[in-house]
Amino acid sequence: MTASGWERFATEADVGVRGWGTTRGEAFAQVTLGLFALLVAPDEVRVTEHREVRAQADVPERLLAAWVDECLYVHEIEGFVARSVEMTVCTDTLAHGVLHGEPLDPERHRLGAGVRGTVSQGLNVEILDGVHEARIVVNM
C-alpha cells in the first residue's frame, strides 16, 4: 500500500470511497480526490484556480461528512472540479483546505456519475496500524 491514496469500495446501493494517509488531513484529502474522480476524470482537470473549503462538526465522522458536503457544494454551485486537495487544518472538529482545479468544461471534461450527498451509515475515521483512514458512502 502507498503512503496515501484512495479507492472505491462496494456497498449495496451506493458508492463508497476510502482514503488513507500519514495524517487525518491526508486521508480527508484522498477521500475528496476519490469523490471528485466520480464526478469527472481527474487526468482531464487542469489547475488554474483554487477554492477554499471549511467545515465544522462535533466528531471526526460528522466532520468528514460536512467536509465532503462542502466540497460537493463547490462543485454543484460553482461548477468547480478538483485535481488536488491541500488540507491546511484537520482536527477532530475543524477541516480547512484548498481545492486546486478549474471550472467544469462540459466540452472537455467527461462527466461521471452525479453525487447527491453523503450517507451517514458509511462514515468512519480511524487509525489502523499507524495509517489514518477515512471512509464515506455517497448517494448517487
Side-chain angles (χ1 to χ4, degrees), residues 9 11-17 35 38-39 65 68-69 72 75-76 112-123 136-140:
F9 61 89
T11 66
E12 284 188 30
D14 301 307
V15 175
V17 179
L35 171 73
L38 292 169
L39 304 170
V68 166
D69 285 343
L72 285 172
H75 171 71
E76 289 295 322
V115 176
R116 291 185 292 215
T118 60
V119 178
S120 61
Q121 295 86 353
L123 296 170
I136 195 159
V137 174
V138 291
N139 193 297
M140 307 295 282

Side-chain angles (χ1 to χ4, degrees), residues 59-140:
V59 295
E61 290 77 13
R62 286 193 196 114
L63 179 62
L64 176 61
W67 168 259
V68 166
D69 285 343
E70 288 297 320
C71 292
L72 285 172
Y73 177 86
V74 170
H75 171 71
E76 289 295 322
I77 301 304
E78 297 185 30
F80 190 80
V81 290
R83 178 163 184 121
S84 64
V85 179
E86 174 189 359
M87 297 299 297
T88 55
V89 175
C90 192
T91 68
D92 285 349
T93 59
L94 175 66
H96 180 269
V98 180
L99 305 177
H100 302 278
E102 65 180 327
L104 179 66
D105 180 354
E107 292 184 16
R108 192 166 46 81
H109 298 128
R110 287 173 290 163
L111 297 177
V115 176
R116 291 185 292 215
T118 60
V119 178
S120 61
Q121 295 86 353
L123 296 170
N124 191 32
V125 177
E126 62 186 341
I127 302 173
L128 299 169
D129 297 326
V131 176
H132 291 260
E133 182 177 295
R135 288 178 179 253
I136 195 159
V137 174
V138 291
N139 193 297
M140 307 295 282

Side-chain angles (χ1 to χ4, degrees), residues 46-61:
R46 295 184 285 221
V47 176
T48 62
E49 297 181 19
H50 314 283
R51 298 290 188 277
E52 276 192 64
V53 179
R54 178 186 171 116
Q56 289 182 277
D58 57 346
V59 295
E61 290 77 13

